[in-house]
Amino acid sequence: MAKNLVIVESPSKAKTIGKFLGSNYKVKASVGHIRDLPKSKLGIDIENQFEPNYITIRGKGTVIKELKKEAKKANKVFLATDPDREGEAISWHLAHILGLNTDEPIRIEFNEITKNAITNAKKKPRSINMDLVDAQQARRVLDRLVGYQISPLLWRKVERGLSAGRVQSVAVKIIYDREKEIREFKPEEYWTIDGDFDHGEIISARMMGKIVDGKMKRIKIATQEESEAILSILKSYEDGKIQKITNKKFKKNPLPPFTTSSLQQEASRKLNFSTKKTMMIAQQLYEGVDIQGEGTTGLVTYIRTDSVRISEESRQEGTQFILDQLGKDYLHANRTFKTKKKADGQDAHEAIRPTSALREPEKIKNSLSNDQYRLYKLIWSRFMASLMMAAEFENIGITIQVDEYGFRYTGKRMLFDGFMKIMPVNEKVIIFPDLKEGQSLKIKNIDHKQNFTNPPPRYNEASLVKILEELGIGRPSTYSPTVTTILNRGYVEKIDGSFHMTDIGGLVTELLIEHFGDFINEQFTAELEEQLDDVESGNQKWKTIIEQFYTRFEKALKEADQKIEKIEVEDEPTDILCDKCGSHMVVKKGRFGKFLGCPNYPECKNTMPYNGKDSGPPAKSDVLCEHCHVNMIIKKGRYGDFLACPNYPECKNTKQIEKKLDFKCPECSGDIVEKRTKKGRRFFGCSQYPQCTFTTWQEPTKESIKAYEDKKKETDNKA
């Protein structure tokens, strides 16, 4: 009996879905896109209404052959790719390759990979949504026209390897503009005065202004002379008096469940994940993880969304969990959140939430990797918190008067933890002293301090994604690849977690602003995104958008080619001598950043790590190479410093540099050292390996070591 064929993108997704569909269905994976524009040329027929020239992606021949074979013998073929523009386009390409009629009900979609969702979806197949497909085609063609025509211009005028992009170049421009703000920022001087007051315990309070008619009138102290004049008055007093105590209750509401953007931002802040890592792990949680006792299970809903809505079914399940575990005092039964953006295809989904509120993170921890567990816990906690009551606090302020000047001491105390029971928030809560208005306090010390205003902070991954979303640049599926691209291109670099412009990034951005300023800017890019949304909703024809864009863009392209003169980007010379031929090394740009290279390349291929002004010949270590018996040198690699034999390439011996921690191994009392896997992932293990096999992914703390030792004692006692 012929089976129905269901095609999805990934093998792991196929595995998860397969267990829900039953014996009448066979599930196969396309492994992503099977057709795309060619890499070697523009691939768009500009003269023929911008018709895309799609070709089969290299290496997909075997997959396509297998899918055709299965489709030929199947009763029906269903396309179950992701529920967004990209997924719809993949289904459309699959239909073309397999000869399926796109007007027939061959498309099924679901927002989560659970039995109910899959069962319901297969009952309601639909035809391919060509509005979604056209919106994806419009984005792809726009990006290709910009990238494949400005990039060659940059190669001719500056150097090969450079690129431009409709969204990536605007992201770099945002970082460039912030860098310019920082450079042009002129700090302003101001002074602060702080006092310590004694009532049995010390209260530290800041002078805020003058008290006029019982009210605080704030003042700004701009110079040292002003500050010293006030300080001399204040120091003539031995006591201050409590002029006023204020109490004000307030509530802190939970945030809505995650969207793609808010998940990337929060994972960056709380877990120190890059946007790329966040989306990679979230995809694993969505497609399915092998859970002990359940099998392969999708743990979260679809991860590319602008929506904060949740289904009624998930709300009821979360509500029941809160009632059972915490009680009715913690449940907010009627809270709803509104999506900020206008509805589009991404908003057709729900927020990112757990597929089951009953699947608590701690219960499935042993089935997840550490990173999967941490991200899942973040998603689960945020969803559950969104259904709970607000946390309640009391703000208390104490005004202390000395002469006519007022000092302010403020803080808050928690009255009810509410949603923070499940998702703690970093709120500084203090215990207030028992004080009364009119009470005198002994002045222990009063001093002043010079301060300067700070420039705006540089963007990090979280704040860049946030500003891209606020400006309407890109969509959920584009944030992560945009950040990855601008880093890989070498236009920006990460220093202490923040984006810094590189010289070449600044040069390219200035060229683009000068010659393509009408296209490479925030407003124009956001307007294009809105037009793509109009295509998706069926209110605009995609080729009309391309035509309107290209008429102006082609003119700018020709003018730029005529006006931009060849720019020579010279290698930066250094005083460091090549230890092979004696020439002065130069700073070059590579895949993983800057490095030192010999100017006599290719005759001399010597390279060294580049560490700014501290660069030079590699430092020698005390570790001997066991093959050559010479001191190994410290070199810099993709994942940090490592030891290498100086006789490379004759001897290719390398070793990790093991950083010793201030903890002893709980198994054998040896040293715990920081190590890395072959793929660069950090972990911690015993220095006595292989005699002792103690390892952990999480950085050890006093608490974790003690907990491990206690558990070991308990196990030993039971044995």
Side-chain angles (χ1 to χ4, degrees):
M1 180 180 173
K3 294 183 178 182
N4 295 320
L5 175 65
V6 176
I7 303 175
V8 296
E9 301 99 315
S10 76
S12 59
K13 188 176 175 183
K15 183 180 177 183
T16 310
I17 290 171
K19 75 173 191 176
F20 297 133
L21 286 173
S23 58
N24 291 332
Y25 290 84
K26 192 166 190 177
V27 187
K28 287 289 183 177
S30 68
V31 197
H33 276 277
I34 56 169
R35 290 203 309 166
D36 197 5
L37 298 172
K39 287 187 176 181
S40 58
K41 57 183 180 180
L42 183 64
I44 297 166
D45 190 346
I46 295 172
E47 303 301 324
N48 185 25
Q49 291 188 303
F50 305 95
E51 191 65 30
N53 174 29
Y54 294 115
I55 62 169
T56 301
I57 295 173
R58 181 178 293 179
K60 286 297 180 77
T62 304
V63 174
I64 292 171
K65 186 178 179 181
E66 176 69 16
L67 291 177
K68 284 184 174 180
K69 176 185 170 184
E70 294 294 340
K72 192 173 182 180
K73 62 184 181 182
N75 182 29
K76 290 183 179 179
V77 179
F78 295 103
L79 307 174
T81 50
D82 285 344
D84 59 8
R85 295 174 185 171
E86 204 72 24
E88 202 74 14
I90 292 175
S91 282
W92 180 65
H93 287 300
L94 282 167
H96 176 86
I97 288 285
L98 300 177
L100 304 177
N101 186 343
T102 57
D103 292 327
E104 291 184 358
I106 59 172
R107 177 81 165 101
I108 58 176
E109 66 174 346
F110 36 83
N111 191 51
E112 59 186 69
I113 304 177
T114 60
K115 187 171 184 177
N116 283 346
I118 303 301
T119 302
N120 291 332
K122 73 178 183 180
K123 294 176 183 176
K124 297 182 289 186
R126 60 169 175 80
S127 60
I128 298 286
N129 184 334
M130 285 309 299
D131 290 333
L132 276 172
V133 174
D134 287 347
Q136 190 273 344
Q137 287 196 98
R139 176 185 291 280
R140 193 77 182 92
V141 169
L142 278 170
D143 291 345
R144 179 58 68 101
L145 288 172
V146 173
Y148 270 53
Q149 296 195 81
I150 296 183
S151 297
L153 178 66
L154 294 174
W155 299 348
R156 295 193 302 273
K157 303 296 185 177
V158 187
E159 68 177 16
R160 290 196 65 82
L162 299 178
S163 74
R166 187 180 61 85
V167 174
Q168 78 169 60
S169 296
V170 178
V172 177
K173 178 183 177 295
I174 289 171
I175 297 169
Y176 172 87
D177 289 342
R178 176 57 56 90
E179 196 76 31
K180 193 174 177 183
E181 278 185 77
I182 293 169
R183 285 199 308 267
E184 295 174 355
F185 179 80
K186 294 180 180 178
E188 292 183 12
E189 178 185 10
Y190 70 98
W191 288 73
T192 52
I193 298 175
D194 294 299
D196 293 335
F197 301 88
D198 189 0
H199 72 103
E201 292 182 14
I202 299 296
I203 293 177
S204 296
R206 173 153 294 178
M207 198 278 286
M208 304 300 293
K210 292 183 177 182
I211 296 175
V212 180
D213 296 329
K215 294 182 179 180
M216 182 80 76
K217 184 180 179 182
R218 290 180 176 266
I219 60 172
K220 181 180 178 181
I221 307 173
T223 65
Q224 183 175 354
E225 290 74 19
E226 290 178 45
S227 183
E228 286 178 345
I230 296 171
L231 197 64
S232 64
I233 295 171
L234 296 172
K235 285 194 171 185
S236 66
Y237 288 83
E238 294 183 356
D239 298 290
K241 184 178 73 172
I242 296 178
Q243 185 258 344
K244 192 175 185 180
I245 298 178
T246 57
N247 302 66
K248 187 177 181 181
K249 293 180 180 179
F250 73 97
K251 293 181 178 181
K252 185 177 185 68
N253 288 310
L255 293 168
F258 284 123
T259 61
T260 305
S261 168
S262 60
L263 177 64
Q264 290 175 354
Q265 293 172 51
E266 196 72 352
S268 175
R269 284 190 290 260
K270 288 193 173 178
L271 308 181
N272 200 29
F273 284 3
S274 66
T275 55
K276 182 179 180 180
K277 181 175 181 177
T278 298
M279 297 310 290
M280 178 188 71
I281 297 168
Q283 187 75 24
Q284 294 166 5
L285 298 176
Y286 166 68
E287 291 184 348
V289 179
D290 191 11
I291 302 298
Q292 189 175 354
E294 295 187 61
T296 307
T297 307
L299 297 178
V300 302
T301 53
Y302 191 54
I303 59 171
R304 294 176 181 86
T305 175
D306 283 336
S307 177
V308 293
R309 292 182 289 102
I310 59 172
S311 69
E312 188 56 36
E313 182 184 359
S314 67
R315 180 187 297 279
Q316 289 174 4
E317 191 179 57
T319 295
Q320 194 59 51
F321 178 90
I322 294 167
L323 286 173
D324 293 343
Q325 299 295 322
L326 302 173
K328 63 179 182 180
D329 290 343
Y330 283 89
L331 177 65
H332 191 296
N334 302 313
R335 180 180 287 112
T336 57
F337 296 97
K338 290 185 178 180
T339 301
K340 293 180 181 178
K341 292 169 135 357
K342 73 172 187 176
D344 63 10
Q346 312 285 9
D347 184 52
H349 319 310
E350 293 184 57
I352 302 171
R353 60 164 176 82
T355 52
S356 174
L358 305 181
R359 202 174 283 116
E360 296 176 69
E362 298 304 321
K363 288 183 178 178
I364 61 172
K365 185 176 182 179
N366 292 337
S367 300
L368 305 177
S369 71
N370 186 50
D371 287 339
Q372 287 173 338
Y373 163 74
R374 294 171 72 201
L375 191 65
Y376 177 70
K377 184 178 181 181
L378 195 67
I379 294 169
W380 184 89
S381 301
R382 176 88 161 226
F383 167 70
M384 296 304 301
S386 71
L387 302 174
M388 296 173 66
M389 294 295 290
E392 296 177 12
F393 295 90
E394 183 180 31
N395 259 344
I396 301 178
I398 301 173
T399 302
I400 305 168
Q401 185 170 352
V402 180
D403 192 69
E404 61 178 335
Y405 297 97
F407 288 76
R408 191 75 173 160
Y409 173 77
T410 59
K412 69 184 71 163
R413 61 185 175 200
M414 184 183 289
L415 303 176
F416 175 58
D417 54 359
F419 75 92
M420 292 173 61
K421 187 86 170 176
I422 278 183
M423 192 165 200
V425 177
N426 188 21
E427 291 282 359
K428 187 178 179 182
V429 179
I430 62 174
I431 299 173
F432 271 87
D434 184 18
L435 298 171
K436 296 178 181 178
E437 291 183 0
Q439 183 177 340
S440 293
L441 300 176
K442 186 77 174 175
I443 298 174
K444 297 294 291 183
N445 182 56
I446 292 182
D447 208 348
H448 65 164
K449 181 184 177 183
Q450 184 185 35
N451 305 274
F452 292 93
T453 53
N454 294 316
R458 287 185 169 87
Y459 289 105
N460 55 28
E461 287 205 25
S463 57
L464 182 61
V465 168
K466 184 179 181 182
I467 192 68
L468 288 174
E469 183 187 35
E470 288 176 352
L471 294 173
I473 296 168
R475 284 298 181 262
S477 59
T478 64
Y479 300 137
S480 176
T482 296
V483 171
T484 301
T485 299
I486 64 176
L487 282 167
N488 289 345
R489 296 299 183 196
Y491 292 157
V492 299
E493 57 186 349
K494 258 189 182 181
I495 301 175
D496 296 329
S498 297
F499 292 122
H500 290 244
M501 288 297 302
T502 61
D503 292 340
I504 193 68
L507 172 63
V508 170
T509 302
E510 287 168 359
L511 277 175
L512 294 178
I513 291 171
E514 181 179 354
H515 298 282
F516 297 95
D518 289 344
F519 307 98
I520 307 299
N521 68 66
E522 296 88 333
Q523 183 179 347
F524 179 78
T525 307
E527 287 172 355
L528 266 183
E529 293 291 354
E530 290 182 0
Q531 289 181 296
L532 293 177
D533 292 344
D534 288 338
V535 172
E536 182 172 330
S537 59
N539 297 323
Q540 180 81 278
K541 297 296 182 183
W542 76 271
K543 289 186 177 180
T544 303
I545 293 174
I546 305 298
E547 186 177 0
Q548 290 172 350
F549 164 81
Y550 196 72
T551 302
R552 296 169 54 204
F553 179 73
E554 186 180 32
K555 182 181 178 183
L557 197 66
K558 289 177 180 177
E559 289 179 357
D561 200 8
Q562 294 172 356
K563 292 180 180 178
I564 301 175
E565 296 182 1
K566 176 68 178 173
I567 299 171
E568 296 294 337
V569 180
E570 297 182 358
D571 293 327
E572 181 185 340
T574 71
D575 295 328
I576 300 159
L577 297 178
C578 173
D579 51 12
K580 303 290 185 187
C581 69
S583 301
H584 286 275
M585 303 285 275
V586 295
V587 180
K588 291 181 171 288
K589 181 166 69 74
R591 183 180 176 189
F592 302 119
K594 293 180 179 179
F595 67 96
L596 294 174
C598 183
N600 295 326
Y601 181 88
E603 290 76 19
C604 179
K605 299 179 180 179
N606 188 28
T607 62
M608 295 181 189
Y610 178 72
N611 302 314
K613 295 179 180 178
D614 299 327
S615 295
K620 285 186 178 181
S621 73
D622 297 329
V623 181
L624 292 177
C625 173
E626 53 264 41
H627 303 305
C628 306
H629 305 289
V630 295
N631 291 86
M632 300 185 83
I633 57 177
I634 300 172
K635 301 199 87 174
K636 186 175 288 293
R638 184 178 183 181
Y639 301 115
D641 293 347
F642 66 97
L643 296 174
C645 181
N647 293 329
Y648 179 88
E650 290 77 18
C651 177
K652 298 180 180 178
N653 186 27
T654 61
K655 287 184 176 182
Q656 293 186 18
I657 296 176
E658 296 183 344
K659 177 184 172 185
K660 189 166 76 173
L661 276 67
D662 295 330
F663 298 106
K664 293 295 181 183
C665 173
E667 289 284 353
C668 70
S669 298
D671 293 323
I672 295 181
V673 294
E674 180 183 313
K675 300 183 177 185
R676 289 191 180 272
T677 65
K678 288 182 179 179
K679 291 187 177 180
R681 186 178 177 189
R682 189 177 71 153
F683 71 100
F684 303 88
C686 182
S687 61
Q688 302 302 318
Y689 179 84
Q691 289 78 20
C692 178
T693 57
F694 171 79
T695 59
T696 174
W697 291 112
Q698 292 182 313
E699 185 166 353
T701 62
K702 287 181 181 179
E703 293 76 14
S704 66
I705 293 291
K706 186 176 186 306
Y708 187 94
E709 290 172 339
D710 291 344
K711 189 173 182 180
K712 184 173 180 292
K713 286 178 184 177
E714 184 181 337
T715 304
D716 292 344
N717 290 336
K718 286 181 180 179

